[in-house]
Amino acid sequence: MDKQAIMESNETRTTMTGAEIVVRALLDQGVDTLFGYPGGAVLPIYDALFSKPELRHILVRHEQGAGHAAEGYARSTGKPGVALVTSGPGATNMVTPIADAMMDSIPMVVITGQVPSHLIGTDAFQECDTVGITRCCAKHNYLVRDVNDLARIVHEAFLIATTGRPGPVVIDIPKDIQFATGQYKSKENIFHKTYHPAAEPDGIAIEAAIEMMRFAQRPVFYTGGGVINSGPEACTALRELVTETGFPITSTLMGLGAYPASGEHWLGMVGMHGAYEANHTMHDCDLMICIGARFDDRVTGRLDAFSPGSKKIHIDVDPSSINKTVRVDVPIIADAGLAIQALLKGWRSQQSKRNDLTTWWQQIDTWRAVDCFAFEEDKQHIKPQYAIQRLYEKTKHRNTFITTEVGQHQMWAAQHYHFEEPNRWMTSGGLGTMGYGLPAAVGVQAAHPDALVIDIAGEASIQMCMQELSTAVQHNLPVKIFILNNEWMGMVRQWQQLLHGERYSHSYSESLPDFVALAKAYGGHGIQCSNPDDLDAAIDEMIDYDGPVLFDCLVTKDENCFPMIPSGAAHNDMILGEITGNEIGEDGKMLV
């Protein structure tokens, strides 16, 4: 029998090994890329991958990198990311990405190897209770006991990961199950006995929401990552709804891009480092329409002072998010996109008088005039805000995706890089994972090989998963790492300065590597820039280089990220920068 006949025979047969079942199920689910690191407990699966070149495997340098790369792939494509790691330390190294994906509602399927079934519970070599460890931080998990259940479990995992509130699902597969032979089941007619997430909104709740919207004097849309998770149609419908209602709109960190930053109704990001106008609009509104967000503490500030005079509509696909932290008046448990379309249809059907929002917009324009993101220019040194602004101007007309690490650079990126489309912004929101950005960029670049993918980083965060630069070099993934290097753990230093009496306990980044030399050592290209006059040319060099680049942008060392809501303060009690802060009176109004 020739090679082609053997391949065709393998495709049609239903009896196969557990390892072959896993690979076949991934292909049937439309998976084209997975990220992983081999080890003894998953070698049968890796052996099965050997004859399936259509299933691209990206070899990372650390299992955490596999998880974050799968997150970046998922966030930029809307498809589930897939990671494959071995038992014991391989699985435990995946816990951070699993928790990160859970917090940020990222669809991901994580396959872990496990010791043979008869050794489970004996403290065997590289054994750990993966199901027990991940139970609290995964949407669902499985320990496979029977090879004949394996195909169903893999298909169920994709169903659970991608429906309802998306999230990570873990499949722990003992090694003997991978060797055993069993029956393959297709993904057709796969369903879960008890998992039936709501999708369609309740019509009565929609009618109640429309009625509240019609009579609101000071409304605002408060949107989150759930809109993006719902798909491009949801973002299109949101834009139409904002245009037709004329309501202002703000967004969480995770929701940037669902509504264009250039839109006339856009207020900017809300929250701890959000826009002055966004936070004050949220505080003073009489109707808050929350879509696909969960009233995170970084948005609400002190709960007893959060938007005290407003009625609240909350649209969320996750019932557990409703009334969890903030009591709402109209809960709508539904897919964000379907709910937005229902609101849009209901709004268009209403022909009666709607309130004039002129006075509300005049007040919002007063807050906008504060120019809360303004900063002092420096002709001798690169300000981090200026670096992001120049990066944006140089890349805004390209097919660009942005990932970040976590810290001041992340907030400056959110403030000064303006997103027009969804799925272009990948950042760790809920968990705040330092080290996320580079492997996430690897995942994004693998999904979009012709795109410009930039990880905006800090010199501290980038060292958390620096080894994934080797992954980018090996797999010809030309990611660009744009480091805002201020030689501090910047956000830690800022809090120590403002809230801990300037006691800078262990926040200075000592013994930093020569990033240019480090890039060369990995096989990439290194650039360093410290002069504002040279910055544009250096960014051009980074963009034009055909391969991975590590850009060491030396910025001012003591710059703080403003505005800022101090921990425990109300969401309209903001610390402003030196320029704008001097223009604000005690009543929060701009001094003219």
Side-chain angles (χ1 to χ4, degrees):
M1 185 179 291
D2 61 22
K3 184 177 179 180
Q4 182 64 32
I6 292 173
M7 292 179 63
E8 291 176 356
S9 175
N10 288 339
E11 289 299 321
T12 56
R13 65 191 173 93
T14 58
T15 300
M16 55 187 74
T17 67
E20 292 171 332
I21 287 173
V22 170
V23 174
R24 173 73 176 275
L26 293 179
L27 289 170
D28 283 357
Q29 286 290 338
V31 176
D32 53 23
T33 306
L34 72 157
F35 306 87
Y37 201 94
V42 285
L43 285 184
I45 297 176
Y46 272 89
D47 192 50
L49 283 172
F50 188 78
S51 61
K52 296 293 182 183
E54 64 270 35
L55 188 51
R56 183 186 189 191
H57 179 276
I58 303 293
L59 176 65
V60 297
R61 299 302 183 266
H62 189 284
E63 289 89 355
Q64 182 179 347
H68 294 322
E71 287 188 272
Y73 178 96
R75 188 71 177 172
S76 66
T77 63
K79 301 190 296 184
V82 181
L84 172 62
V85 297
T86 193
S87 63
T92 57
N93 283 341
M94 274 295 304
V95 171
T96 296
I98 291 169
D100 191 272
M102 187 66 182
M103 290 284 278
D104 288 344
S105 304
I106 308 301
M108 183 165 70
V109 174
V110 177
I111 299 170
T112 60
Q114 183 55 274
V115 300
S117 301
H118 70 279
L119 291 179
I120 292 176
T122 67
D123 293 332
F125 178 68
Q126 291 193 334
E127 180 196 0
C128 72
D129 181 6
T130 302
V131 168
I133 290 170
T134 61
R135 182 172 286 118
C136 62
C137 60
K139 184 176 180 183
H140 194 59
N141 53 26
Y142 296 89
L143 173 60
V144 183
R145 296 286 192 178
D146 186 337
V147 68
N148 291 302
D149 293 331
L150 184 53
R152 173 186 57 80
I153 286 173
V154 174
H155 295 316
E156 272 188 15
F158 278 87
L159 173 69
I160 294 170
T162 57
T163 56
R165 178 183 175 181
V169 178
V170 178
I171 309 173
D172 197 34
I173 312 176
K175 192 170 184 178
D176 59 308
I177 300 295
Q178 299 171 44
F179 279 122
T181 57
Q183 294 296 309
Y184 180 77
K185 298 179 180 65
S186 72
K187 66 176 182 177
E188 305 303 325
N189 301 318
I190 291 293
F191 66 96
H192 195 280
K193 293 180 181 178
T194 59
Y195 175 72
H196 306 289
E200 293 286 346
D202 177 73
I204 295 176
I206 291 293
E207 290 177 6
I210 293 293
E211 193 69 8
M212 293 174 72
M213 290 166 62
R214 284 179 55 216
F215 292 100
Q217 300 279 347
R218 302 184 306 280
V220 64
F221 285 113
Y222 155 44
T223 60
V227 178
I228 295 174
N229 285 342
S230 184
E233 296 83 4
C235 299
T236 299
L238 176 67
R239 296 168 186 219
E240 293 177 9
L241 183 61
V242 170
T243 298
E244 298 216 10
T245 60
F247 292 2
I249 179 171
T250 183
S251 165
T252 66
L253 179 73
M254 298 303 294
L256 296 177
Y259 184 83
S262 62
E264 62 176 318
H265 299 96
W266 177 242
L267 302 181
M269 182 178 70
V270 71
M272 180 172 282
H273 292 284
Y276 184 81
E277 54 266 36
N279 284 324
H280 277 267
T281 299
M282 290 273 282
H283 183 269
D284 283 12
C285 71
D286 65 356
L287 178 63
M288 181 184 299
I289 305 123
C290 175
I291 309 176
R294 55 185 176 85
F295 294 99
D296 179 74
D297 63 289
R298 293 294 173 112
V299 168
T300 64
R302 205 177 77 231
L303 278 173
D304 62 356
F306 177 66
S307 193
S310 69
K311 298 288 187 180
K312 298 174 181 67
I313 300 166
H314 189 188
I315 298 170
D316 203 297
V317 74
D318 181 8
S320 69
S321 292
I322 303 292
N323 292 324
K324 182 168 66 176
T325 55
V326 172
R327 299 293 299 179
V328 300
D329 299 278
V330 178
I332 302 175
I333 301 170
D335 172 80
L338 296 177
I340 293 169
Q341 291 170 5
L343 288 177
L344 185 59
K345 181 179 179 181
W347 183 263
R348 286 170 171 166
S349 70
Q350 295 290 335
Q351 300 299 322
S352 56
K353 179 180 178 295
R354 299 164 188 166
N355 286 322
D356 183 2
L357 302 180
T358 302
T359 302
W360 182 223
W361 275 108
Q362 288 173 345
Q363 174 60 71
I364 291 171
D365 287 339
T366 301
W367 291 323
R368 278 176 165 171
V370 170
D371 193 13
C372 64
F373 297 138
F375 59 93
E376 293 183 354
E377 294 186 4
D378 190 328
K379 299 297 184 182
Q380 305 299 318
H381 306 93
I382 299 175
K383 286 291 188 80
Q385 303 96 318
Y386 177 75
I388 300 295
Q389 288 180 352
R390 295 315 304 157
L391 182 68
Y392 170 70
E393 291 298 327
K394 288 286 185 178
T395 60
K396 66 182 180 180
H397 296 306
R398 295 174 176 266
N399 181 23
T400 306
F401 294 80
I402 299 293
T403 72
T404 77
E405 309 295 333
V406 168
Q408 285 180 318
H409 62 274
Q410 176 191 29
M411 294 298 105
W412 281 317
Q415 292 172 347
H416 297 280
Y417 201 103
H418 310 296
F419 296 93
E420 297 294 306
E421 299 295 333
N423 303 106
R424 298 290 173 147
W425 165 248
M426 276 59 64
T427 194
S428 175
L431 198 63
T433 305
M434 295 175 70
Y436 168 91
L438 174 53
V442 166
V444 175
Q445 192 78 77
H448 307 276
D450 297 325
L452 175 62
V453 182
I454 303 172
D455 171 30
I456 298 176
E459 83 290 334
S461 279
I462 192 61
Q463 295 187 82
M464 290 281 188
C465 287
M466 186 74 250
Q467 70 281 346
E468 299 312 326
L469 182 56
S470 178
T471 303
V473 171
Q474 176 186 343
H475 295 279
N476 300 313
L477 302 171
V479 298
K480 318 301 182 187
I481 306 163
F482 191 73
I483 302 173
L484 300 184
N485 186 349
N486 59 12
E487 299 182 2
W488 286 92
M489 298 176 198
M491 194 63 81
V492 174
R493 182 206 58 77
Q494 177 170 334
W495 280 58
Q496 288 174 334
Q497 176 188 343
L498 299 176
L499 304 174
H500 295 278
E502 300 185 4
R503 293 181 293 278
Y504 301 116
S505 179
H506 304 287
S507 54
Y508 183 63
S509 297
E510 297 186 72
S511 301
L512 287 173
D514 180 336
F515 285 112
V516 173
L518 185 61
K520 183 178 180 180
Y522 273 113
H525 180 57
I527 301 171
Q528 187 180 79
C529 184
S530 60
N531 189 326
D533 293 336
D534 300 331
L535 184 58
D536 278 15
I539 292 174
D540 286 338
E541 179 184 349
M542 177 187 76
I543 294 170
D544 293 340
Y545 183 79
D546 185 19
V549 177
L550 193 57
F551 188 122
D552 188 17
C553 186
L554 303 180
V555 299
T556 49
K557 294 179 171 53
D558 58 354
E559 193 76 10
N560 285 330
C561 184
F562 293 120
M564 173 185 175
I565 302 172
S567 181
H571 69 132
N572 67 328
D573 186 9
M574 305 183 72
I575 300 175
L576 297 169
E578 292 181 2
I579 292 179
T580 55
N582 293 333
E583 299 174 347
I584 306 300
E586 293 180 357
D587 60 355
K589 305 295 185 183
M590 186 175 70
L591 299 177
V592 180

